[in-house]
Amino acid sequence: MEAPLYFLQQVINGLTIGSTYALIAIGYTMVYGIIGMINFAHGEIYMIATYVAFIVIAGLSMMGIDSTIFLMVAALIVAIIVASAHAFAVERVAYRPVRGSKRLIALISAIGMSIFLQNYMLLAQGSRDKAIGNILPGGWHFSGGDFTVVLSYMQVIIFAVTLISMLLLAAFISRSKLGRACRACSQDRGMANLLGINTDLVISMTFVIGAALAAVAGLLLGMYYGVVNPYIGFLAGLKAFTAAVLGGIGSIPGAVLGGLLLGVAEALTGGYLSTEYNDVVSFGLLILILLFRPWGILGKPEVEKI
Amino acid sequence: MKKVMRKSLLALGVSAAGLVSMSAQADIPIAIAGPVTGPVAQYGDMQTIGAKMAIEQINKAGGVNGEMLKGVIYDDVCEPKQAVAVANQIVNDGIQFVIGHLCSSSTQPASDIYYEEGILMISPASTNPAITEAGYDTIFRTIGRDDAQGPVAGTFIAEQIKPERMAIIHDKQQYGQGVATAVKETVEEAGINVVVFEGITAGQQNYSSLISKLKLNNVDFVYYGGYHPELGLILRQSAELGLDAQFMGPEGVGNPDISKIAGEASEGLLVTLPKAFETDPANADLVAAFEAKDQDPSGPFVMPAYTAVQVIAEGMEATDSTDPFEVAEYLHENTFDTPIGKVDFDEKGDLEEFEFVVYRWHADGTKTPVNTDKAQTGSEETATE
């Protein structure tokens, strides 16, 4: 009885972390799908959102508000607004002016922005870990034999909120006017422009949506871990980027699948091999995919346009 | 012509005056190198306040051979690459005495450069044995070694705790892995069953798969080699995932921030720390001086950093020189009375004697010494903070 329960526990652990990778990965994949660049500052947007969520939760708690739902919703709204504003500003300042030039220039601009945002938070908040208490402790315990599987309330919240966000995004992309414009832009930006779509607006909105999802991930992971520092964006961004490439960069379902896959692969590696091999396995997976299926699991092979 | 003469004479006079005042103020710079920013910056703060206090007090008492000491702070962020850059900068700035670095993985590469350039370095915090094993005669430390700390922890575990199934986790860095390995060797010699020995990545936030594995292995005792940000998260997530085990760590986790991160889960954590020098009655005046400046003298590296500056100053005074080699030779040959007790360097630059004590950590960020006297197992002295 122990072995299957242990496996179940590791899968739960993996799906929890994987769904947050997926939330961040969507930001990478959407931007890539529309303007063909990797927004390396996206991990920092997630980090900023986590700080904002912490500040809101700490501030409201100090004012004596202790309703978990209220704290979460308030933190979520403020984090989404602040993160979106940052992403919007980053696009305007660092990407739009270089959009016409070579890809490498936009890439360097993105890396510069990432360093800037990290140091900007470092100056504003200091380099030490900031922590908040656990506002949603506890969970369900399933016992079988010697091993108890724990599904914490926070993990359930992470699954549920991620699922809701994905459904909302899917509905937005497939049903709304702006979503249709997004799809048009990703197919052919020049043509979409000729047909009267405001492509600048669509690109800005893409950054804003990506940032909003990163803010959701920031709040969820912030509450789950309870700790934030200015460096968390780097690793989270790297993992999410890996997930996006794994699933097929440019494809939204691909990002989700890639994120979940990566999370589960990491948890199982940690559970059955050794935590030391976590990064070996995740980046090994990436290399394998790039070797044998460079367009990713759900991506489409790119046809060279002549 | 006359006018020109007078002008140039005046200029000469001014420059001469400048020269005189320069030589009177020619401070002796001492580099203080460690993390000023980054996740373990609070340890850097401990080193800085200790060294700065020593410099201030020595200067107030007339300086060294009539010259003033001047502390110059360098930030290595506890990153080996940055530490090399900092060391090269210290060389370029012409500084010949270094207090630091703090993280063993930074101190190690930096010490190679200092030795090659003939710079005297005293680390008040780096405990990895390899640093002084290279046999550099200008490299010292005013803290114990992991192969002294590891056995203290290991012996305590084997004699007092006697865990059934123990796990040892480390952060794969020189310091953490070093002390974890030393603990492993000691407890295995005593016949303790170590069922998990594994490394994590510093900066990682998710430990759920590791903790589930510890649960599967029915681990009842976990030793962690590394720093507080990671252990804090491990403690917090262990409580959440229902791992019921006693945790223990080296002085790198003994920091009030661990209680901020882990909250209630940090209650009862065992930590090996240098003896609490601030409770030594001989240091009462010094403690008062720190408190007057609203600084905390209880950090494990504060007094060792103070001591490092003090022995350098005494060496300069006694040899009447600022030559690092002469000072180093003097340090090797003499003993010093310092806030951390009698300091006597062996030929490697290690302290002949340095004591580590086991403390029990509390959720409010305080600590109480655990009585390791076997006759009184279980009884604990009252709070010292």
Side-chain angles (χ1 to χ4, degrees):
Chain A
M1 198 55 197
E2 257 180 41
L5 280 180
Y6 179 61
F7 181 78
L8 180 68
Q9 176 77 72
Q10 292 296 14
V11 170
I12 292 174
N13 296 341
L15 288 176
T16 312
I17 182 83
S19 41
T20 56
Y21 287 163
L23 280 174
I24 307 174
I26 286 173
Y28 281 101
T29 222
M30 279 180 72
V31 166
Y32 184 87
I34 288 184
I35 55 173
M37 74 166 277
I38 305 292
N39 175 17
F40 275 111
H42 191 56
E44 314 317 323
I45 298 289
Y46 153 76
M47 178 267 295
I48 290 171
T50 314
Y51 267 108
V52 173
F54 269 44
I55 292 167
V56 171
I57 291 176
L60 290 179
S61 305
M62 240 182 321
M63 284 156 61
I65 296 163
D66 55 3
S67 145
T68 306
I69 296 293
F70 182 78
L71 284 178
M72 274 188 70
V73 172
L76 186 66
I77 291 170
V78 181
I80 286 179
I81 291 171
V82 176
S84 300
H86 274 83
F88 181 80
V90 164
E91 196 268 333
R92 281 305 271 272
V93 172
Y95 304 151
R96 190 172 294 184
V98 297
R99 199 187 290 154
S101 42
K102 288 181 187 141
R103 276 185 174 194
L104 197 60
I105 292 173
L107 195 72
I108 292 169
S109 185
I111 292 172
M113 215 54 221
S114 160
I115 296 171
F116 169 78
L117 288 176
Q118 196 184 91
N119 284 280
Y120 151 90
M121 273 330 260
L122 193 69
L123 284 175
Q125 291 291 328
S127 61
R128 293 188 182 186
D129 282 349
K130 294 269 188 297
I132 50 167
N134 197 340
I135 60 173
L136 191 64
W140 290 285
H141 296 246
F142 309 97
S143 188
D146 267 354
F147 193 77
T148 311
V149 175
V150 178
L151 178 62
S152 68
Y153 298 140
M154 200 55 226
Q155 285 177 320
V156 177
I157 294 270
I158 290 178
F159 296 137
V161 174
T162 305
L163 190 70
I164 294 169
S165 310
M166 300 291 176
L167 291 177
L168 282 177
L169 179 70
F172 171 80
I173 296 281
S174 61
R175 302 286 160 86
S176 75
K177 201 173 158 199
L178 198 58
R180 199 153 54 233
C182 275
R183 279 182 289 148
C185 280
S186 86
Q187 280 167 10
D188 191 331
R189 184 148 47 94
M191 192 64 205
N193 206 358
L194 284 178
L195 293 175
I197 292 174
N198 183 350
T199 47
D200 277 347
L201 177 74
V202 170
I203 292 169
S204 287
M205 282 324 286
T206 309
F207 275 86
V208 165
I209 292 165
L213 291 172
V216 174
L219 169 74
L220 293 175
L221 277 187
M223 284 173 63
Y224 186 48
Y225 297 143
V227 170
V228 63
N229 64 51
Y231 311 103
I232 59 167
F234 176 73
L235 201 63
L238 201 62
K239 289 282 168 65
F241 173 62
T242 310
V245 176
L246 206 62
I249 190 133
S251 148
I252 293 174
V256 177
L257 184 69
L260 294 177
L261 203 66
L262 193 68
V264 173
E266 277 187 0
L268 294 181
T269 315
Y272 289 97
L273 268 168
S274 163
T275 320
E276 286 168 66
Y277 292 110
N278 265 358
D279 292 351
V280 178
V281 167
S282 39
F283 295 114
L285 242 129
L286 179 66
I287 292 170
L288 280 180
I289 284 285
L290 288 178
L291 277 179
F292 296 108
R293 206 181 152 86
W295 52 90
I297 301 172
L298 294 183
K300 289 186 204 79
E302 201 163 307
V303 184
E304 281 294 325
K305 288 171 200 151
I306 305 165
Chain B
M1 184 67 198
K2 219 175 171 184
K3 235 177 184 175
V4 175
M5 264 295 264
R6 199 185 287 163
K7 247 187 183 166
S8 61
L9 263 178
L10 199 70
L12 209 70
V14 167
S15 67
L19 218 66
V20 169
S21 70
M22 246 174 73
S23 68
Q25 284 196 332
D27 300 325
I28 306 171
I30 294 184
I32 305 168
V36 179
T37 59
V40 294
Q42 46 275 71
Y43 297 118
D45 291 348
M46 294 176 191
Q47 170 175 292
T48 306
I49 65 167
K52 284 248 158 175
M53 176 62 77
I55 290 170
E56 191 188 306
Q57 293 195 343
I58 289 164
N59 286 345
K60 212 179 268 173
V64 175
N65 303 328
E67 292 178 68
M68 295 292 136
L69 298 179
K70 198 176 103 199
V72 189
I73 296 175
Y74 292 88
D75 184 10
D76 71 6
V77 209
C78 185
E79 275 176 14
K81 267 185 286 178
Q82 195 66 26
V84 170
V86 161
N88 283 320
Q89 195 179 350
I90 289 173
V91 172
N92 288 336
D93 292 351
I95 299 179
Q96 292 184 300
F97 297 91
V98 178
I99 307 299
H101 297 217
L102 193 111
C103 301
S104 293
S105 44
S106 292
T107 312
Q108 178 91 67
S111 68
D112 294 339
I113 295 169
Y114 297 138
Y115 174 69
E116 276 166 27
E117 299 291 336
I119 291 171
L120 191 153
M121 183 205 91
I122 304 184
S123 172
S126 294
T127 50
N128 191 282
I131 290 160
T132 47
E133 286 300 321
Y136 297 156
D137 55 2
T138 56
I139 305 297
F140 299 85
R141 66 175 126 210
T142 49
I143 192 135
R145 293 162 47 122
D146 291 339
D147 46 12
Q149 181 175 189
V152 169
T155 312
F156 176 83
I157 295 164
E159 286 178 2
Q160 310 266 319
I161 310 274
K162 301 189 187 78
E164 302 270 313
R165 300 171 67 80
M166 178 172 167
I168 300 178
I169 311 296
H170 60 82
D171 63 0
K172 289 191 283 190
Q173 297 192 45
Q174 196 168 11
Y175 163 71
Q177 188 161 8
V179 67
T181 311
V183 168
K184 181 170 186 267
E185 280 163 8
T186 318
V187 296
E188 283 188 336
E189 228 162 76
I192 301 288
N193 186 14
V194 178
V195 290
V196 179
F197 182 78
E198 212 166 292
I200 53 124
T201 308
Q204 183 185 336
Q205 286 197 302
N206 182 27
Y207 298 97
S208 55
S209 69
L210 173 70
I211 293 162
S212 301
K213 185 198 267 177
L214 298 181
K215 263 175 70 184
L216 179 75
N217 282 297
N218 287 318
V219 165
D220 58 351
F221 189 88
V222 183
Y223 186 85
Y224 177 77
Y227 297 103
H228 68 275
E230 287 79 24
L231 182 60
L233 282 169
I234 294 177
L235 286 172
R236 184 174 173 139
Q237 291 172 28
S238 292
E240 186 90 335
L241 288 168
L243 169 67
D244 185 23
Q246 169 72 50
F247 279 81
M248 184 170 188
E251 87 279 32
V253 307
N255 180 304
D257 274 21
I258 197 165
S259 298
K260 280 195 202 131
I261 297 169
E264 277 304 312
S266 66
E267 177 67 41
L269 169 74
L270 296 167
V271 189
T272 42
L273 287 167
K275 218 173 75 185
F277 306 114
E278 75 278 6
T279 57
D280 186 342
N283 291 334
D285 286 348
L286 186 54
V287 169
F290 278 115
E291 274 160 6
K293 297 178 90 176
D294 209 14
Q295 292 171 337
D296 176 14
S298 70
F301 309 128
V302 176
M303 296 295 181
Y306 184 98
T307 301
V309 175
Q310 183 194 330
V311 296
I312 288 177
E314 283 187 25
M316 290 179 189
E317 193 87 51
T319 56
D320 195 18
S321 97
T322 54
D323 178 57
F325 292 105
E326 281 184 39
V327 176
E329 205 184 322
Y330 184 82
L331 294 188
H332 277 294
E333 283 167 1
N334 292 279
T335 58
F336 305 87
D337 279 320
T338 71
I340 64 168
K342 205 174 193 87
V343 163
D344 185 3
F345 293 106
D346 65 13
E347 71 270 22
K348 287 178 189 159
D350 287 325
L351 293 173
E352 291 278 6
E353 263 176 54
F354 192 86
E355 206 180 328
F356 282 102
V357 185
V358 181
Y359 286 89
R360 190 175 290 279
W361 201 264
H362 301 293
D364 58 359
T366 60
K367 55 184 193 271
T368 49
V370 176
N371 199 335
T372 48
D373 187 1
K374 271 182 101 177
Q376 301 173 19
T377 307
S379 73
E380 284 173 26
E381 287 169 30
T382 43
T384 52
E385 281 198 332

